[in-house]
């Protein structure tokens, strides 16, 4: 089975610029190809057109020509661009083949950004993360060890301004021994859990503890001017 291990990363100033280029180039090539296809040309049930024109395998063949006309794409890993186009192909397939799935949309600069790298585009050496075309290793806050060499890594920039990385690993879970006794668990609101033995576990109510700070942060956000740097700082505090 496959399991994901998530860690926080602390990039330096130069590495933040490099990662923003990665996010921006992946976002650009997604929007460029989707605009060239035209969302109006995507129709439900058009599976033949998908396999002949819109599959990820066909769309990745467009990358060399796009890189020739837009040289800045050469500054980032080609693996990240390929993975983003494969995601676009999957998104198109989901729309044309399934009911209720929306058309793929143009990606925006604001909001959560992500980039996926396969094993040939990053290296783990002495607990340091090296990614393609980045000179210095990126600091990872290791909260637990990885069970094996990861198959791929996804770097994400959240709306709260934090960076994280998810490693996908293949693990072999060991079957646990069957316990001798059985306890029933009932989850609720007043109490987090009530056991059949009569023990009641209280609800920690983490959101309730944070509500006063959230109210103050939202009031400050509402008083800032749209588009200002102070508004962006206040937005990060709310996030």
């Amino acid at each position: 089975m496959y399991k994901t291990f998530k860690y926080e990363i602390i990039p330096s100033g130069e590495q933040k610029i490099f990662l923003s280029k990665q996010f921006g180039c992946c976002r650009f090539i997604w929007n460029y190809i989707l605009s060239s296809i035209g969302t109006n040309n995507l129709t439900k049930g058009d599976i033949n057109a998908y396999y002949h024109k819109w599959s990820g395998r066909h769309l990745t063949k467009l990358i060399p020509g796009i890189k020739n006309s837009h040289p800045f794409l050469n500054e980032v890993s080609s693996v990240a661009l390929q993975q983003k186009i494969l995601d676009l192909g999957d998104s198109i397939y989901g729309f044309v083949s399934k009911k209720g799935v929306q058309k793929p949309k143009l990606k925006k600069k604001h909001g959560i950004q992500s980039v996926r790298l396969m094993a040939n585009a990053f290296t783990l050496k002495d607990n340091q993360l090296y990614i393609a075309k980045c000179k210095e290793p990126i600091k990872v806050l290791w909260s637990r060890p990885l069970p094996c060499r990861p198959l791929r890594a996804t770097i994400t920039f959240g709306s709260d301004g934090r960076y994280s990385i998810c490693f996908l690993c293949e693990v072999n879970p060991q079957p646990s021994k069957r316990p001798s006794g059985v306890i029933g668990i009932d989850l609720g609101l007043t109490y987090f859990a009530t056991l059949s033995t009569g023990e009641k576990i209280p609800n920690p109510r983490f959101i309730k503890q944070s509500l006063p700070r959230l109210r103050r942060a939202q009031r400050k956000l509402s008083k800032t001017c749209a588009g200002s740097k102070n508004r962006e700082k206040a937005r990060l505090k709310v996030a």
Side-chain angles (χ1 to χ4, degrees), residues 7 14 28 38 59 69 87 97-98 110 137 197 206 230 232:
Y7 307 89
E14 293 183 359
F28 171 83
L59 296 179
S69 58
D87 288 345
S97 64
K98 300 177 182 178
H110 303 286
T197 58
F206 294 116
N230 287 334
E232 178 62 18

Side-chain angles (χ1 to χ4, degrees), residues 203-215:
N203 193 330
R205 302 187 186 277
F206 294 116
I207 294 181
K208 187 175 181 180
Q209 297 175 15
S210 302
L211 279 180
R213 292 173 52 217
L214 179 61
R215 292 192 190 100

Side-chain angles (χ1 to χ4, degrees), residues 121-206:
F122 70 92
T123 305
L124 291 173
K125 185 178 180 181
D126 297 331
N127 285 335
Q128 290 185 317
L129 173 66
Y130 296 84
I131 64 176
K133 297 196 175 184
C134 185
K135 299 178 181 179
E136 299 295 330
I138 299 177
K139 181 180 179 181
V140 182
L141 300 182
W142 297 102
S143 56
R144 52 180 171 169
L146 289 173
C148 62
R149 175 176 170 78
L151 303 176
R152 70 186 186 197
T154 303
I155 301 176
T156 304
F157 177 68
S159 58
D160 57 353
R162 296 181 180 180
Y163 295 83
S164 62
I165 186 168
C166 291
F167 294 105
L168 180 68
C169 299
E170 187 174 4
V171 298
N172 296 318
Q174 299 297 327
S176 59
K177 295 182 180 180
R178 189 175 184 86
S180 57
V182 178
I183 295 179
I185 302 176
D186 178 35
L187 301 180
L189 297 177
T190 304
Y191 293 96
F192 176 73
T194 303
L195 309 184
S196 58
T197 58
E199 180 183 357
K200 295 183 178 180
I201 302 175
N203 193 330
R205 302 187 186 277
F206 294 116

Side-chain angles (χ1 to χ4, degrees), residues 2 6 30 38 67 89 110-111 138 154 174 190 193 217 220 223:
Y2 296 99
K6 186 176 181 179
W30 171 292
K67 293 176 74 172
H110 303 286
I138 299 177
T154 303
Q174 299 297 327
T190 304
K220 290 182 179 180
K223 295 177 182 178

Side-chain angles (χ1 to χ4, degrees), residues 3-19:
K3 190 174 181 180
T4 301
F5 296 81
K6 186 176 181 179
Y7 307 89
E8 186 176 359
I9 59 176
I10 311 294
S12 63
E14 293 183 359
Q15 290 169 347
K16 288 181 180 180
I17 296 175
F18 173 77
L19 290 177

